Amino acid sequence: MTETTIAGPGLQLSNGDHVCVFCRGGERDELLVPFLTDGVSAGDRCLAVVDASEPEELLDALGTGGGAAQLTVLASRDVYLTDRGFDMDGMLDFYGAELRGVAEGRSGYDRIRTAGEMTWALRDIPGVEDLLAYEARVNQVMAANPEAAAISLCLYDVERFDAELIVGVLRTHPKAVIAGTVIDNPFYIQPEEFLRQRDN
């Protein structure tokens, strides 16, 4: 598997990794900017969704001038959220289409890096209760598209999410970045089992 550095020589990820990244406030860009900058340099398709700032602020930090088609930075209101709230199935369809574009060669890129800032789920809107089910199902979408070389980061601000939610996040991500270190997550539960437990 191809490995990629996301923020320094000690943070290595491989194709197929779905990773929860725990950060505090302004630490977001310390991981996100190197992850995307390295992706642009490597010729990867890069997609980031931000919530705590506008897309233009991240683009300025990246210094890409927009990045053309290779790099897309969107606001959470344009991806995760609709007029009716969080549409889990719609978001999974969107993500799956991005993976298939790489797997089938339609995107023009050999690999895709995605990153989502998850603070949108703190809003009091319909559908946010499906956050953990969504995270579990992302693993299923990745497994259903094994030909897609993909690395996906989900960024959680530990100063804003409560401990119960963080435990659920750990149960739905095979890997985690904690205190700047990538770990194989011992708390991870296979998505089918997680969803079965959740529905009972």
Side-chain angles (χ1 to χ4, degrees):
M1 284 196 171
T2 301
E3 288 195 336
T4 181
T5 301
I6 63 169
L11 290 177
Q12 297 286 324
L13 295 173
S14 300
N15 293 337
D17 284 345
H18 178 212
V19 186
C20 54
V21 179
F22 297 114
C23 54
R24 296 179 183 276
E27 294 175 355
R28 180 197 75 175
D29 288 356
E30 293 176 17
L31 285 169
L32 190 53
V33 169
F35 176 68
L36 296 173
T37 299
D38 184 63
V40 170
S41 297
D44 298 340
R45 165 84 171 115
C46 296
L47 171 65
V49 182
V50 295
D51 186 73
S53 65
E54 290 299 313
E56 292 75 19
E57 294 178 46
L58 179 57
L59 289 168
D60 287 345
L62 291 165
T64 59
Q70 181 187 2
L71 170 66
T72 303
V73 181
L74 302 169
S76 60
R77 62 180 175 271
D78 298 322
V79 183
Y80 289 109
L81 307 178
T82 69
D83 293 340
R84 299 179 305 281
F86 174 53
D87 178 2
M88 177 171 63
D89 291 330
M91 187 62 204
L92 290 166
D93 288 345
F94 171 81
Y95 182 65
E98 289 284 343
L99 294 189
R100 287 190 297 276
V102 171
E104 297 169 5
R106 290 182 284 106
S107 72
Y109 301 99
D110 294 329
R111 178 165 62 180
I112 182 169
R113 301 179 187 215
T114 69
E117 185 178 17
M118 309 306 287
T119 46
W120 56 266
L122 296 169
R123 292 175 173 78
D124 183 17
I125 54 176
V128 294
E129 66 276 6
D130 292 328
L131 172 64
L132 295 177
Y134 165 75
E135 291 283 30
R137 290 182 62 191
V138 165
N139 296 303
Q140 294 176 322
V141 173
M142 294 183 80
N145 293 277
E147 301 86 3
I151 299 172
S152 292
L153 305 185
C154 301
L155 291 91
Y156 286 87
D157 186 339
V158 294
E159 293 180 343
R160 299 186 63 186
F161 286 94
D162 63 33
E164 182 179 0
L165 193 283
I166 293 296
V167 169
V169 169
L170 283 167
R171 289 175 175 160
T172 55
H173 291 78
K175 289 190 176 181
V177 174
I178 300 174
T181 302
V182 177
I183 65 167
D184 290 320
N185 180 9
F187 303 104
Y188 174 63
I189 299 173
Q190 291 293 328
E192 294 77 14
E193 176 63 15
F194 178 85
L195 293 168
R196 185 188 66 77
Q197 291 178 8
R198 179 178 179 270
D199 292 339
N200 286 343

